[in-house]
Amino acid sequence: MNILISVDIEGVAGVYHPEQVRPGNPEYERARRLMAAEANAAIAGAYDAGASQVYVNDSHGAFRNMPPDLLDERAQAIQGKPRYLSMVSGVELGMDGVCLIGYHSRAQGLGILAHTINSFAFARIAVDGRELGEAGLYGALAGAYGAAVIMASGDDVFIEENRDLFPHTTWVQTKRATGANSGISLSPAQSCAAIRAGVQQAVAGRSACRPLLLAETGKPLQITLQTQTTALADLFCQWPGLVRTAGDELRFSAPDIESAVRMINSLSAMSSMLR
Ligand SMILES: [Zn+2]
């Protein structure tokens, strides 16, 4: 039984501020260790429940946050970018379940450090009219590879936002949001204990979860992107096939969720030109 653990940092207990999620300062050095500790708790929970191989995917920023020597030696780490499947790289190996650790609410959400893929570039992402954050987009990408999201952790806003998409998933609340950069958090030790128990329960009960499919297989998806500035929409629409629908909005269609996510990540990379 293979389990994939995708780990972001904004939803980790004790993390509130952009400084904690941006490399190059002592706050980040501390936060990346909290991230690795929650990853290790999830890895332990998966092995407690009988996993034969656990893969841990580093899913924040440059995708190389968790110091490899601090990760549980039983797991194999997936790090570095760019990579086509991004936050769920590893699903192509064939997974029996995916856990999302340290995830956060989508752009414009009320959660701590809320954003969708790139806070500089995107104000809103919708697929066939349904607004999605990273859990929805990457949950659907995992779904296209036949893998269900069986467990997820983050703040209360993240959980409320995604409950309907993943009705049988096990949720672990690490903190309660009181603003974009404030909240009430479990201690790191308590958060890790809850994550370990949550993953164990989720892996044992994984058969209740179904892979997320946003549309019938073979049906193209319509993606609507709201950009943070009109200049970003000017830039993105240099790409043939993207249609400008408002000063800060554009649309494109994609044959499947993998193409949609790859296009969104390509635009995210392009946006660095305007930083
Ligand atoms: Zn992140």
Side-chain angles (χ1 to χ4, degrees):
M1 185 212 314
N2 288 337
I3 299 295
L4 178 67
I5 305 199
S6 169
V7 192
D8 204 347
I9 197 169
E10 288 87 353
V12 168
V15 173
Y16 307 100
H17 195 271
E19 191 123 303
Q20 291 176 286
V21 306
R22 191 186 303 133
N25 70 80
E27 291 282 319
Y28 168 77
E29 292 303 321
R30 189 174 286 265
R32 72 197 297 196
R33 281 165 174 74
L34 298 176
M35 179 188 183
E38 291 198 358
N40 283 340
I43 295 164
Y47 281 116
D48 291 345
S52 45
Q53 184 63 58
V54 177
Y55 295 86
V56 60
N57 178 321
D58 193 320
S59 287
H60 171 72
F63 294 167
R64 45 186 176 81
N65 305 279
M66 296 184 288
D69 54 324
L70 295 188
L71 290 172
D72 187 318
E73 63 188 38
R74 294 171 294 176
Q76 291 188 42
I78 299 168
Q79 296 187 295
K81 81 187 320 184
R83 52 193 194 209
Y84 292 164
L85 303 181
S86 189
M87 297 179 84
V88 291
S89 287
V91 281
E92 75 280 11
L93 301 173
M95 293 294 150
D96 298 287
V98 178
C99 303
L100 309 178
I101 302 296
Y103 270 54
H104 50 82
S105 63
R106 62 188 175 225
Q108 320 299 353
L110 289 168
I112 295 165
L113 296 166
H115 67 282
T116 304
I117 297 186
N118 181 328
S119 57
F120 171 77
F122 307 128
R124 183 173 171 273
I125 298 177
V127 177
D128 288 341
R130 177 193 237 170
E131 191 169 356
L132 296 175
E134 293 169 21
L137 291 165
Y138 286 102
L141 183 50
Y145 282 81
V149 172
I150 61 171
M151 181 273 177
S153 71
D155 70 18
D156 57 326
V157 179
F158 162 71
I159 293 171
E160 281 317 309
E161 216 175 71
N162 288 289
R163 243 186 234 290
D164 291 349
L165 278 179
F166 306 105
H168 302 291
T169 292
T170 301
W171 302 95
V172 171
Q173 185 181 318
T174 58
K175 54 194 175 185
R176 184 150 61 85
T178 54
N181 299 128
S182 68
I184 304 166
S185 180
L186 294 180
S187 69
Q190 286 296 324
S191 184
C192 287
I195 287 168
R196 182 170 181 165
V199 172
Q200 184 178 4
Q201 181 193 321
V203 172
R206 67 190 181 284
S207 56
C209 297
R210 294 280 164 267
L212 174 61
L213 295 176
L214 295 175
E216 294 159 47
T217 312
K219 198 165 163 268
L221 301 168
Q222 299 299 321
I223 318 302
T224 309
L225 280 183
Q226 190 188 342
T227 56
Q228 293 285 14
T229 63
T230 54
L232 282 158
D234 293 344
L235 173 68
F236 294 161
C237 287
Q238 300 301 310
W239 195 301
L242 272 61
V243 179
R244 188 79 167 260
T245 46
D248 63 349
E249 191 187 83
L250 54 91
R251 283 196 188 146
F252 63 93
S253 71
D256 51 38
I257 188 68
E258 183 170 339
S259 303
V261 167
R262 284 173 63 174
M263 176 58 99
I264 292 165
N265 283 325
S266 298
L267 297 176
S268 171
M270 251 171 111
S271 75
S272 59
M273 178 192 162
L274 295 181
R275 279 218 191 226

